[in-house]
Amino acid sequence: MRRRSSFRLASAARPPVIRGPIPYVAPLGVLRTATYGLERAGLERAGFDWAGDHAPLHTHDTIIYELHVRGFTQRANSGVPADRRGTFAGLIDKIPYMRDLGVTAVELMPVFQFDPQEGNYWGYMPLNFFALHHTYAAHPEPVGQLDEFRTLVKALHAADIEVILDVVYNHTAEGDENGPTYSFRGVDNTTYYLLAEDRRRYRNDSGTGNVLHTANRYVSGMVMDSLHHWARQFRIDSICFDLASLFTRRDDGSIDLNEPPVISAIQTHPDLARLRMIAEAWDVVSYQLGRSFPGTTWLQWNDTFRNEVRSFIRGDRGVTAGLIRRLGGSDDIFPDTPEDAYHAYQSINFVTSHDGFCLYDLVSYDRKHNEANGEGNRDGRDDNRFWNCGWEGNVALPEAVARLRRRQAKNLFCLLMLANGTPTFVAGDEFLNTQRGNNNPYNQDNETTWLDCDLLRANADFHRFCRAMIAFRKAHPTLCRSRSWREDVTWFGTTGSLDSSADTGTLAFLLRGSTQADVDLYVMINDSTAEQEFLIQDTAPQGWRRVIDTARDGPDDIVSLDGAAQIGERRHRVEARSIVVLVRR
């Protein structure tokens, strides 16, 4: 489960609190009237100039970039003018940077209006499913704020970048029975929320205090109205559903995996057909990743990919078989047999996200440092599969440790870009941004979470590696396919066939590209603590050129094919904890 604001329960004797002033959250009938009457009210103008707008649609070259609207440009060193920092307008200023990096889809963390008094920086405690969070706009007036967001969407489209909204339809900011009362609880508690058997308490399968009752036709209708609103009025390209498994709850809280109302309605709605749907297919009670989740055509966040890639690079043994599955398209989770007919691209592959350690902290800390969150360092994930490379944090950091950290970070990013599936990474990883060991900064609206662009300059060489690695992936459609690699891939050990049960930390694979109108790739992975000699198991070793070697310093760690060294011998040495990629020419 992706950890967001942990709802802090008040005393049981405390009566419900009504706060104000707040953005209005109306009952369903009013919401429908308001949604379709907003043009008349002047809040959504049909006159916005969408001329020339197009909806990008990427396939094998999809690279998803997760970011927080405020945190992306809030620091003074972001290069964004002060009056635009932390806003939709500020993001427009950074589109050239994102385009240069090579991302093709931007996933915005929640932009729905949330309670500014709740101390929730991430935005996963929504108040209104139809309104933008007002502080994310530079424009002071509501109409201008809406048009500012539309302008952002249109500008991203012009840069051939898709827009993904991370949405929360599984719970609200009203929390549990001791939480504040804003609207739904006071309007019709039993309609909008799932209650425990005693009807006094709320089911808390979301881990945030309540669960929205989407099995109810009025509530599911509200969700559909909201989705239609964002698709029609703002031309969003994709929706990522937080804790989407909660859509499968029946009226009594039991799980319906056959035909849950919201998922069925989304999959059959003609106006939503063009949108790419993405699910976080788990919650506190249920784990539905893969075939269990009813959205059979949806993409799904694959936390198994995260866990097994992290474990391998950390140096765990006995995980080679899992790594092979993740690199090849996770066909155990998304089987592409005729009976199941899933696709490898449905696996959203990630090593990091906003929830958990960022890339640099993953290789810099052996324990979480969440004291600033005010929960006694008890919040956040404990199973992080991290390794500090022999030194905790950054104080008096030895140079040898710093070099190893960079190599490990390159290894993680390299495997993410080599794997079959749809890769996503969190903004700032490309220049080793740090949150100083905080793996759950949901309430840190400060320099802990605001990207530090000074690190972009300090780590320019790592940024160059990531940028080139993204370009390499996009140039080789053989990596990301509709199906798993199947018979086009052969797995090897260092000198012969691969024994995936062996605890060596080494493997290689030959990926043939002819079926995808591409060249062949040969990848050698050495996560052992010593240099290894690999036998290139191909009849024509002289046809290979070394394009990537994560052990080398930049700019020699990744080079163009024209500038790559030709490999003339079948034996090739791969340094400890490094990856080498050859391209046949």
Side-chain angles (χ1 to χ4, degrees):
M1 163 181 172
R2 283 197 292 160
R3 171 90 167 142
R4 71 278 300 141
S5 170
S6 55
F7 185 79
R8 289 185 285 279
L9 303 182
S11 167
R14 177 184 173 188
V17 175
I18 300 178
R19 294 177 180 169
I22 61 168
Y24 178 53
V25 184
L28 179 64
V30 177
L31 279 174
R32 280 183 170 157
T33 302
T35 301
Y36 299 121
L38 284 174
E39 285 94 348
R40 292 193 300 273
L43 294 180
E44 291 196 52
R45 293 185 298 135
F48 180 79
D49 183 11
W50 285 108
D53 181 64
H54 73 285
L57 180 61
H58 295 275
T59 54
H60 79 275
D61 61 335
T62 300
I63 308 288
I64 300 176
Y65 190 59
E66 184 191 36
L67 63 84
H68 188 281
V69 171
R70 178 169 168 82
F72 195 65
T73 63
Q74 183 60 27
R75 281 194 192 234
N77 62 18
S78 68
V80 173
D83 61 343
R84 296 165 66 90
R85 291 175 197 152
T87 68
F88 302 125
L91 283 186
I92 296 173
D93 294 341
K94 303 296 283 187
I95 288 175
Y97 168 81
M98 291 184 278
R99 183 173 173 81
D100 178 73
L101 180 60
V103 299
T104 65
V106 169
E107 180 172 334
L108 303 178
M109 289 175 64
V111 297
F112 291 0
Q113 181 66 54
F114 61 87
D115 184 1
Q117 303 175 84
E118 201 262 337
N120 173 17
Y121 167 74
W122 279 351
Y124 285 98
M125 297 292 277
L127 272 173
N128 192 311
F129 301 126
F130 296 83
L132 290 168
H133 190 63
H134 64 288
T135 65
Y136 288 172
H139 199 286
E141 299 299 327
V143 172
Q145 293 169 6
L146 297 174
D147 282 352
E148 182 179 326
F149 185 62
R150 292 188 181 99
T151 302
L152 169 63
V153 173
K154 185 177 179 181
L156 285 166
H157 285 176
D160 202 30
I161 297 174
E162 300 174 46
V163 181
I164 305 172
L165 286 192
D166 190 349
V167 298
V168 183
Y169 292 117
N170 61 79
H171 69 273
T172 75
E174 291 189 297
D176 72 356
E177 58 274 10
N178 299 304
T181 296
Y182 290 120
S183 179
F184 295 125
R185 174 181 292 136
V187 170
D188 192 344
N189 199 40
T190 60
T191 291
Y192 286 100
Y193 295 114
L194 286 179
L195 302 180
E197 290 185 11
D198 62 9
R199 314 291 283 178
R200 296 170 55 88
R201 293 175 295 108
Y202 291 79
R203 288 188 64 95
N204 189 24
D205 297 357
S206 67
T208 57
N210 64 59
V211 177
L212 209 61
H213 186 189
T214 56
N216 182 285
R217 63 191 180 98
Y218 296 108
V219 180
S220 64
M222 177 185 67
V223 172
M224 293 301 297
D225 284 351
S226 176
L227 288 171
H228 187 270
H229 169 69
W230 294 103
R232 182 170 65 99
Q233 295 291 341
F234 299 96
R235 303 198 177 187
I236 299 304
D237 305 293
S238 183
I239 301 290
C240 180
F241 294 89
D242 175 76
L243 300 183
S245 54
L246 288 173
F247 286 157
T248 64
R249 295 305 194 271
R250 296 187 178 95
D251 293 337
D252 61 358
S254 61
I255 296 174
D256 174 12
L257 295 178
N258 295 317
E259 199 171 358
V262 170
I263 294 176
S264 297
I266 291 171
Q267 294 188 145
T268 58
H269 195 293
D271 290 346
L272 302 180
R274 69 170 183 83
L275 272 65
R276 181 156 34 189
M277 301 297 175
I278 304 172
E280 185 185 46
W282 56 80
D283 55 71
V284 172
V285 174
S286 65
Y287 186 81
Q288 300 173 17
L289 182 66
R291 284 171 289 179
S292 295
F293 184 69
T296 55
T297 62
W298 296 23
L299 283 67
Q300 300 178 40
W301 280 64
N302 188 350
D303 65 335
T304 303
F305 181 95
R306 174 197 64 196
N307 294 343
E308 294 185 346
V309 170
R310 284 186 180 187
S311 291
F312 184 88
I313 293 300
R314 181 174 65 174
D316 295 358
R317 294 297 170 253
V319 297
T320 301
L323 180 68
I324 290 172
R325 277 285 175 80
R326 298 320 130 222
L327 292 177
S330 293
D331 62 349
D332 55 334
I333 299 173
F334 302 96
D336 54 3
T337 61
E339 295 80 12
D340 291 292
Y342 282 86
H343 300 275
Y345 62 73
Q346 290 180 255
S347 174
I348 296 285
N349 296 337
F350 68 106
V351 174
T352 60
S353 70
H354 74 275
D355 179 19
F357 280 101
C358 53
L359 184 62
Y360 181 74
D361 290 2
L362 189 65
V363 298
S364 303
Y365 294 91
D366 265 0
R367 56 186 183 275
K368 62 187 181 184
H369 295 267
N370 297 359
E371 291 81 6
N373 299 346
E375 300 188 35
N377 206 34
R378 296 184 299 273
D379 62 307
R381 290 177 56 87
D382 293 314
D383 179 19
N384 293 280
R385 310 190 188 205
F386 42 29
W387 177 47
N388 64 12
C389 296
W391 193 272
E392 187 73 3
N394 294 304
V395 178
L397 180 66
E399 178 59 28
V401 174
R403 289 177 62 84
L404 178 57
R405 287 179 179 176
R406 286 174 179 265
R407 184 182 300 186
Q408 290 288 79
K410 283 194 288 187
N411 290 338
L412 288 164
F413 199 85
C414 182
L415 289 183
L416 176 65
M417 291 299 149
L418 291 177
N420 197 4
T422 303
T424 183
F425 64 101
V426 65
D429 277 355
E430 72 274 17
F431 55 82
L432 299 176
N433 188 64
T434 179
Q435 295 175 161
R436 296 185 290 277
N438 193 327
N439 78 341
N440 186 42
Y442 70 90
N443 58 0
Q444 298 300 309
D445 187 3
N446 51 48
E447 293 191 348
T448 298
T449 52
W450 303 343
L451 294 192
D452 184 358
C453 290
D454 285 346
L455 292 173
L456 173 59
R457 290 175 279 275
N459 298 317
D461 198 57
F462 187 84
H463 175 268
R464 182 203 56 81
F465 176 85
C466 292
R467 179 175 174 272
M469 197 71 235
I470 290 170
F472 179 85
R473 177 184 178 83
K474 292 165 72 173
H476 293 288
T478 189
L479 291 170
C480 183
R481 307 183 180 198
S482 175
R483 302 297 186 185
S484 60
W485 289 340
R486 296 183 177 182
E487 66 279 354
D488 280 348
V489 67
T490 305
W491 301 91
F492 304 109
T494 53
T495 59
S497 60
L498 176 66
D499 179 4
S500 61
S501 64
D503 291 336
T504 62
T506 57
L507 72 153
F509 64 88
L510 169 62
L511 180 60
R512 287 167 284 275
S514 59
T515 61
Q516 309 299 311
D518 198 359
V519 296
D520 297 343
L521 306 178
Y522 199 99
V523 179
M524 293 170 278
I525 305 170
N526 177 19
D527 196 56
S528 72
T529 57
E531 180 185 89
Q532 299 289 332
E533 186 175 76
F534 282 74
L535 176 66
I536 301 173
Q537 299 181 63
D538 180 61
T539 57
Q542 68 276 6
W544 295 103
R545 291 179 179 267
R546 186 184 63 234
V547 174
I548 300 169
D549 186 344
T550 62
R552 294 174 177 265
D553 294 331
D556 297 327
D557 48 3
I558 181 167
V559 298
S560 67
L561 185 59
D562 290 338
Q566 185 170 339
I567 304 300
E569 299 181 357
R570 293 191 65 188
R571 297 188 177 275
H572 191 83
R573 293 186 177 275
V574 179
E575 290 194 30
R577 299 191 184 279
S578 66
I579 300 170
V580 171
V581 180
L582 311 179
V583 175
R584 192 194 300 275
R585 183 167 187 174

